[in-house]
Structures are given as structure tokens and as C-alpha cells.
Amino acid sequence: MFTLWIPPSHPRRESLLIRERLVEGFKRGLVVPEGLIAHGRGECFDYLIGESTQPFAHRAIEAAIAALLLAKHPVISVNGNTAALVPGEIVELAREVNAKIEVNLFYRTREREEAIAKWLREHGALEVLGVGEDASATIPELFSERRRVSPRGILIADVVLVPLEDGDRTEALRKMGKTVIAIDLNPLSRTARAANITIVDNVVRALPLMVERTREMKKASKSDLEHILRSYDNNKVLQEALRHILSRLSELSQTKLTLL
Ligand code: ATP
């Protein structure tokens, strides 16, 4: 499927392969050009974080799973980039936590909604909400096309997982009283700061981990899950993410950086 061949020894291989997935998604009509730019911003933060899942992300993942497992109406909101990068994992996670999957796009067109829904169905989704007339309800205070949601999905959800969201919508969902879980590599974005739980990690690493951890955590009791959620502090997690970047840069700034 990939059009680009990257030598196995290439030091930036993983990152280039992820880019290729987005380019493929763009060609399939899932991703918009703006999505490619958004990915670039994420890549920059991934570089700073060290391109691996850090303890603060593991803690956020645990709290996120607890929230999803305790939810009455959990929903996973999917945009073009998420669909292009982790379609199978979205479907698996939805199945594990019994969540609905809803397409929600900033640049909404019927073709793109349908292309994403079809892509998710090809990866095993039985039902995809938010396509066409199904997105008939609206989120108050939002003016973009992202205000349109499904009355069977995000409108009635108590917990919404929004991988790769924008700040306005995160804030609007919070104002509606929903618990919002974001996955965002930038600990300073409005999304990261407005969410209840922020997983500061790349979606390509976070989603498979979430599926794996959910399978383990499903065995936990309701009171254990409630305890995890009660003792979680998102502000601390964001501060830790920043401190991690700070100490990493501080260490790097004292080492030899030139390669040759
Ligand atoms: P906000 O409105 O929250 O301040 P923004 O305007 O900075 O967001 P957007 O363009 O809406 O950002 O979306 C891009 C966001 O998604 C960035 O914060 C970026 O760090 C994050 N991002 C991009 N790709 C990934 C990825 N693969 N995994 C996790 N986060 C990502």
C-alpha cells in the first residue's frame, strides 16, 4: 500500500512511515491538507518528548480507561488523521469498552464522512455514527461544522475520547458536562489544557497501549476503577510532561550534538 520505500536502517524510519500513512489517508479522501499540517505540529512535540510513551502518559491512559469502563455512554470521536493512523485500534478499543464510534470533522463533507465510515467498517466497525443526517444534533456555542453531532452518540455521551481534537470543541464538550479524554502530543495546546484527562503521547503509540491495558483493567473492580479516577490529577500530568521536556533538553544541551 505504501508508495515510499524506506530502508530499515533509516534513523527516522518510524516517523516517515507514519507520515506515509497520512499521505495515503489524504489520497483516500480521509485526511485534509490541514490535517497534514496538524500532524507536523505533533511530530515536533514527539521529537521533544523522545518519541516514546512516558510515565505521565501511562498514568493518563490508566485514568482514561477507568473513565471509559465506568461510563454509561462512552463515545470515541474520530477525525481524518485518527482514522488514517489507527483505524483498527479505534475499532478494537470501542469493542473493549463498549463505546460508540462517531465521525466528527472540522472540515465536514458528506464524501469525507462516508469515506471515513467505510474505512472504519473495513477495519471491523459494525456501526459508525455521525454520518450525514445522523449528525442532526448540535453542540451549543460551536460555530464550525464540528458542532454537528449524533443524538445517539456524542450528544448523550458522558465520556468522550477525542484523539486529536481542537481546543474550542474540547471546551464546548466540557461545558456540556462531559468527561473529555484527549490524546495530544502538545501539553500546552488548549485541548490538552481543557480536557479532564490528557494523554500526552502519539496516537500511534497510545491507542494500541489503551487496547492492551483495557483488557487487563476490565478485571478490576468498580471501586478500584473509581479510585484510579479520583486520584488522577491532570494538571500534575501536564506539569510532568513539561518537566520531562525541560530535563531532556537540559541534558541534551550538555552533550555533543553534532553527528559527524
Ligand atoms: P488547540 O486548539 O488545542 O490549541 P492546535 O490549534 O494547536 O490545538 P490543531 O491544529 O487543532 O492544534 O491540532 C493539532 C494538535 O494535534 C496539536 O496539538 C498536535 O500536537 C496534535 N497532534 C498531531 N498529530 C498527533 C499525533 N499523531 N498524536 C498525538 N497528537 C497529535
Side-chain angles (χ1 to χ4, degrees), residues 38-39 41-42 85 164-167 183-186 189-191 201-203:
H39 182 73
R41 189 175 305 176
L85 291 174
L164 315 183
E165 189 54 85
D166 72 88
I183 304 177
D184 194 329
L185 278 159
N186 176 4
S189 77
R190 282 180 311 135
T191 304
D201 199 13
N202 199 318
V203 286

Side-chain angles (χ1 to χ4, degrees), residues 186-207:
N186 176 4
L188 292 172
S189 77
R190 282 180 311 135
T191 304
R193 296 171 69 187
N196 298 79
I197 299 169
T198 307
I199 301 165
V200 182
D201 199 13
N202 199 318
V203 286
V204 302
R205 292 189 300 269
L207 253 300

Side-chain angles (χ1 to χ4, degrees), residues 61-255:
I61 283 175
E62 200 167 74
I65 294 166
L68 287 165
L69 288 173
L70 289 167
K72 279 200 182 68
H73 297 290
V75 172
I76 305 179
S77 172
V78 180
N79 70 358
N81 283 32
T82 312
L85 291 174
V86 280
E89 289 85 350
I90 290 286
V91 174
E92 272 185 83
L93 182 64
R95 194 174 298 145
E96 291 294 335
V97 299
N98 212 5
K100 299 244 185 259
I101 299 175
E102 178 164 341
V103 176
N104 198 272
L105 308 176
F106 195 89
Y107 303 96
R108 196 183 262 280
T109 64
R110 185 70 187 250
E111 295 72 42
R112 201 151 84 89
E113 281 168 16
E114 276 168 8
I116 291 172
K118 180 169 171 274
W119 180 244
L120 292 170
R121 280 198 299 272
E122 281 169 20
H123 285 83
L126 298 178
E127 186 183 36
V128 181
L129 302 177
V131 180
E133 282 74 52
D134 183 55
S136 58
T138 52
I139 300 180
E141 295 177 57
L142 264 190
F143 299 101
S144 73
E145 279 295 278
R146 289 204 113 175
R147 74 201 301 237
R148 287 176 48 194
V149 291
S150 167
R152 291 188 297 138
I154 290 174
L155 188 74
I156 58 159
D158 49 352
V159 176
V160 191
L161 170 63
V162 287
L164 315 183
E165 189 54 85
D166 72 88
D168 290 344
R169 195 153 168 277
T170 306
E171 281 178 27
L173 291 171
R174 283 294 306 270
K175 281 186 190 151
M176 288 172 82
K178 300 182 191 302
T179 297
V180 180
I181 304 163
I183 304 177
D184 194 329
L185 278 159
N186 176 4
L188 292 172
S189 77
R190 282 180 311 135
T191 304
R193 296 171 69 187
N196 298 79
I197 299 169
T198 307
I199 301 165
V200 182
D201 199 13
N202 199 318
V203 286
V204 302
R205 292 189 300 269
L207 253 300
L209 263 174
M210 286 179 86
V211 173
E212 200 184 301
R213 279 297 279 140
T214 303
R215 288 185 181 137
E216 294 160 12
M217 284 176 65
K218 272 167 99 171
K219 296 170 201 146
S221 68
K222 191 167 177 245
S223 67
D224 282 349
L225 296 175
E226 283 166 348
H227 176 73
I228 291 171
L229 210 47
R230 260 200 316 275
S231 44
Y232 180 79
D233 182 339
N234 208 39
N235 195 49
K236 275 203 181 122
V237 161
L238 293 179
Q239 287 175 339
E240 248 179 71
L242 280 185
R243 273 201 303 274
H244 167 74
I245 293 173
L246 203 61
S247 67
R248 212 172 155 262
L249 291 182
S250 167
E251 271 168 39
L252 282 169
S253 69
Q254 292 165 55
T255 60

Side-chain angles (χ1 to χ4, degrees), residues 12 42-51 185 248 252:
R12 305 290 312 143
E43 276 182 341
C44 173
F45 281 96
D46 212 6
Y47 224 114
L48 296 178
I49 284 162
E51 295 175 307
L185 278 159
R248 212 172 155 262
L252 282 169

